[in-house]
Amino acid sequence: MTLTELPADSAIARIGSLVRDARRHRGLTQQQLADRLGTSQSAIARIEQGGQNLTLELLGRLSTALESELINLGPTGPTHLRVEGGRPLRGSVVVKSSKNAAVALLCAALLNRGRTTLRNVARIVEVERILDVLRSIGVSATWDATGHDLTLVVPEALDLAGIDADAARRTRSIIMFLGPLLHRAETFQLPYAGGCDLGTRTVQPHMIALRPFGLEIEARAGEYHATVTHTGAPARAIVLTERGDTVTENALLAAARTDGVTTIRNASSNYMVQDLCLYLQLLGVGIEGLGTTTLVVHGRPVLDADVDYTISEDPVEAMSLLTAGIVTGSELTVQRAPIDFLEIELAVLAEMGLRYELSPDYLADNGHTRLADITISPSVLKAPIDKIHPMPFPGLNIDNLPFFAVIAAQAEGATLIHDWVYDNRAIHLSDLTRLGADVRLLDPHRVLVNGPTRWSSAEVVCPPALRPAVCILLAMLAAKGTSVLRNVDIIARGYEHLYERLIEMGASIEVFHD
């Protein structure tokens, strides 16, 4: 149905009927649909009765919540961007909260018998997928009127048999359900995390970290089949074979409700791990070593507290916004940047010749994370003497590494970028050649970037990796003329309203569909 087929009153009534039918088909009550939308049950009742005016934004949210295209608003299909590049950006932009911290805290809420209120939650696809999974097993998750504060209440008994397998398979974060769920059931099943393409590099360290808590996993028929045998040991020491963020988080989630003392060595001390530790401390879990690679956790079998926690700002988004300003030669201020998690990146940029100023630092709303405002100025860049490569925190963040490919393309000289963590992600950076960059793929982990680049406009299909996809978009901002970036839906996985915010800073970006 299209909006023009019916008079206004009839159209609203018809849409109300469609909402009601789609809700019933999904097996949702009016209250459950209201919870998904962050509104009231009475508002849903008015919509279904045809007594509520409907904006296009609300219709879009209803369609997403019900997984049903309620009306035809025009052309459908993949989302594309048309970019008029070569324009400097201006003004200031505020960094939004961390998506990686958000998904960890959503998983951690399963530990709490009390009410968890998370503030400043990123409204992105990855968060919505985790919420779909949580709601499917019985968790109440309600947005406030602003749409950014979320309250979660976990029932006494989880409906693990009713898990939304489709949503679970579309997020790698589902693997962080293992740590909390081993306290909730002696046996359970989880769909493969993000499909079965993660490989042993990602999955096996989790199995090693959780085995001391009595968790054994057998993978069959597209699921992890978990069996839990609690050991009752008063103390345990775990050495992580990989200093990974999600591996550390899973070990923390398991240790939080395990009676006794757990020592986690070779732990990640990255930003999302610190957010998780701060939340667990509010629940009453004792944690020593915050910000170090050795965490000592004093677990409590019962966690029952009404807690209120504000998620800290995202250093990867901050780096994305800084890169947008750098490649467009802009005078730009990035506000509320988590400076502890950007110091190495800024040191490398300073070596390359970037001119920037830092405001005095101040605390984030979580009372712990240091923030600063970073003002960059147009700069003549040169290639660094050494290669650029990631390291676990406090080294250069692996998720920030791709942005240096775009920046290096602006710099005079040759820059070697070595991504030793991910197989084949470096390959996607070679798409920058479509826009005029000289990016040579040396092997699946290394690229050589020669600059400076005279960026040229082009039409590019978005690579199937989040950060390289954003890199292509940022390069298009620098390229004079009209560029087209196709199939950009992956960017919504990790960024909230990125295009709109770039437009507010002076970028010319048009969203369109085939």
Side-chain angles (χ1 to χ4, degrees):
M1 174 182 97
T2 64
L3 284 174
T4 57
E5 289 175 355
L6 295 170
D9 291 346
S10 298
I12 292 172
R14 176 64 176 139
I15 293 169
S17 297
L18 290 172
V19 170
R20 181 197 62 219
D21 293 345
R23 173 181 61 77
R24 290 174 176 173
H25 178 71
R26 291 285 295 165
L28 299 173
T29 65
Q30 288 183 338
Q31 184 60 58
Q32 287 171 327
L33 177 57
D35 289 345
R36 289 191 175 196
L37 293 172
T39 187
S40 64
Q41 179 272 330
S42 59
I44 299 299
R46 287 195 301 273
I47 290 171
E48 294 186 351
Q49 293 163 7
Q52 176 78 42
N53 289 328
L54 300 170
T55 64
L56 293 179
E57 187 269 340
L58 178 55
L59 287 169
R61 289 170 59 204
L62 279 164
S63 296
T64 299
L66 293 167
E67 299 182 14
S68 172
E69 186 182 356
L70 297 172
I71 60 170
N72 183 357
L73 295 176
T76 59
T79 303
H80 315 301
L81 301 178
R82 187 175 290 112
V83 182
E84 293 287 340
R87 304 182 179 199
L89 305 179
R90 62 183 182 275
S92 61
V93 60
V94 178
V95 176
K96 290 185 176 291
S97 66
S98 161
K99 90 170 180 72
N100 288 327
V103 296
L105 293 170
L106 290 177
C107 297
L110 287 169
L111 298 168
N112 186 19
R113 290 185 178 179
R115 184 180 64 251
T116 293
T117 299
L118 299 177
R119 302 195 182 278
N120 196 27
V121 182
R123 293 299 296 265
I124 57 172
V125 170
E126 193 79 357
V127 165
E128 295 294 347
R129 286 175 181 168
I130 289 291
L131 286 176
D132 283 343
V133 177
L134 288 171
R135 289 180 175 123
S136 73
I137 62 176
V139 176
S140 169
T142 308
W143 294 101
D144 76 339
T146 70
H148 280 90
D149 294 346
L150 182 66
T151 298
L152 301 109
V153 179
V154 180
E156 185 65 30
L158 294 173
D159 179 18
L160 297 180
I163 192 168
D164 186 336
D166 180 60
R169 288 192 175 95
R170 287 184 291 153
T171 171
R172 295 184 178 184
S173 303
I174 191 66
I175 201 168
M176 284 193 291
F177 276 46
L178 292 173
L181 290 185
L182 68 84
H183 299 291
R184 301 298 301 260
E186 292 183 355
T187 62
F188 60 90
Q189 291 81 45
L190 280 181
Y192 279 144
C196 55
D197 60 346
L198 292 181
T200 55
R201 189 203 69 81
T202 301
V203 175
Q204 193 60 27
H206 290 264
M207 305 302 103
I208 295 170
L210 296 176
R211 197 171 294 137
F213 300 97
L215 182 72
E216 292 292 339
I217 297 288
E218 181 182 350
R220 63 177 188 270
E223 292 182 322
Y224 299 123
H225 289 252
T227 303
V228 184
T229 305
H230 294 288
T231 62
R236 64 210 55 81
I238 301 170
V239 178
L240 302 182
T241 57
E242 173 186 288
R243 197 188 300 175
D245 301 326
T246 57
V247 175
T248 302
E249 288 165 331
N250 238 342
L252 280 166
L253 293 170
R257 277 188 55 177
T258 300
D259 199 14
V261 179
T262 302
T263 301
I264 307 171
R265 302 191 188 280
N266 195 33
S268 166
S269 50
N270 211 355
Y271 60 97
M272 69 292 284
V273 175
Q274 295 196 25
D275 263 304
L276 177 57
C277 287
L278 293 169
Y279 169 78
L280 293 176
Q281 287 175 335
L282 288 178
L283 289 184
V285 179
I287 300 177
E288 303 166 26
L290 179 65
T292 75
T293 58
T294 299
L295 297 172
V296 179
V297 183
H298 300 264
R300 298 177 61 186
V302 177
L303 300 176
D304 188 351
D306 291 340
V307 297
D308 190 310
Y309 183 74
T310 302
I311 301 172
S312 66
E313 283 70 10
D314 192 333
V316 181
E317 177 172 293
M319 185 68 197
S320 309
L321 298 169
L322 288 170
T323 303
I326 292 168
V327 300
T328 55
S330 304
E331 184 93 20
L332 184 70
T333 298
V334 176
Q335 297 178 319
R336 299 186 67 83
I339 196 65
D340 284 340
F341 304 97
L342 290 164
E343 287 182 330
I344 302 299
E345 285 83 342
L346 289 172
V348 173
L349 290 170
E351 180 192 352
M352 296 177 71
L354 178 69
R355 296 188 295 122
Y356 69 89
E357 294 182 358
L358 293 179
S359 73
D361 61 68
Y362 49 97
L363 284 181
D365 291 340
N366 66 6
H368 176 80
T369 305
R370 284 198 311 135
L371 304 178
D373 302 338
I374 306 171
T375 300
I376 59 172
S377 300
S379 306
V380 177
L381 302 180
K382 62 182 184 300
I385 296 173
D386 199 5
K387 66 180 179 296
I388 300 178
H389 63 95
M391 288 292 287
F393 178 78
L396 191 145
N397 192 315
I398 178 58
D399 286 333
N400 282 337
L401 185 70
F403 301 116
F404 280 93
V406 192
I407 295 169
Q410 297 279 102
E412 178 75 37
T415 302
L416 178 64
I417 295 178
H418 184 195
D419 183 347
W420 55 267
V421 177
Y422 290 110
D423 292 328
N424 300 321
R425 188 169 76 167
I427 292 172
H428 299 309
L429 296 175
S430 62
D431 285 342
L432 291 169
T433 59
R434 301 284 302 279
L435 295 158
D438 182 355
V439 179
R440 303 177 189 179
L441 185 67
L442 303 181
D443 57 48
H445 292 275
R446 297 182 303 151
V447 294
L448 186 66
V449 184
N450 286 286
T453 298
R454 293 187 60 183
W455 297 105
S456 56
S457 58
E459 181 168 325
V460 181
V461 176
C462 213
L466 173 59
R467 309 304 174 189
V470 176
C471 287
I472 300 296
L473 171 59
L474 300 183
M476 286 180 171
L477 295 179
K480 291 183 178 179
T482 303
S483 295
V484 173
L485 184 58
R486 294 195 170 272
N487 301 346
V488 299
D489 292 331
I490 191 172
I491 294 177
R493 272 192 56 230
Y495 291 84
E496 184 179 6
H497 304 312
L498 178 61
Y499 320 135
E500 294 89 338
R501 295 159 71 207
L502 290 170
I503 290 169
E504 290 175 359
M505 292 184 281
S508 176
I509 301 173
E510 177 189 353
V511 180
F512 70 99
H513 302 269
D514 289 331

